Amino acid sequence: MEICELCEEQSKKTRNGKPHEHLTKVDEARIFTGKKPRGYEQQDYQCMTCQSKFTQSSDKNDLAWTLWRG
């Protein structure tokens, strides 16, 4: 299935970018802890329109929004 236009735009969003209206959370957020202030979270989302899957990460070394293709 082709990626929808909203998901294409979502993959380019920065840290402050909110999920678009068709993205729903999948499972619970993963919380990674370490020496303060190094903790971060990851949350998986799936688009209800095109079924694309994303991971949103608050880690400064990760992409804010990762689109999983495959």
Side-chain angles (χ1 to χ4, degrees):
M1 183 175 243
E2 289 292 316
I3 184 172
C4 69
E5 188 175 314
L6 290 174
C7 284
E8 192 66 46
E9 291 175 22
Q10 189 73 41
S11 67
K12 298 173 186 167
K13 287 188 177 180
T14 61
R15 303 240 169 264
N16 299 328
K18 302 292 182 205
H20 70 70
E21 62 268 13
H22 299 294
L23 283 178
T24 57
K25 290 182 180 180
V26 179
D27 297 325
E28 296 295 318
R30 293 178 299 284
I31 300 171
F32 298 89
T33 57
K35 289 186 176 181
K36 293 189 180 199
R38 291 201 171 106
Y40 65 95
E41 293 183 19
Q42 289 182 346
Q43 176 68 56
D44 294 329
Y45 290 87
Q46 185 166 12
C47 179
M48 301 314 292
T49 303
C50 69
Q51 305 304 313
S52 294
K53 294 179 182 178
F54 285 90
T55 297
Q56 181 187 28
S57 177
S58 64
D59 185 14
K60 67 178 182 175
N61 295 320
D62 289 341
L63 295 172
W65 289 93
T66 302
L67 172 61
W68 298 100
R69 298 185 187 210

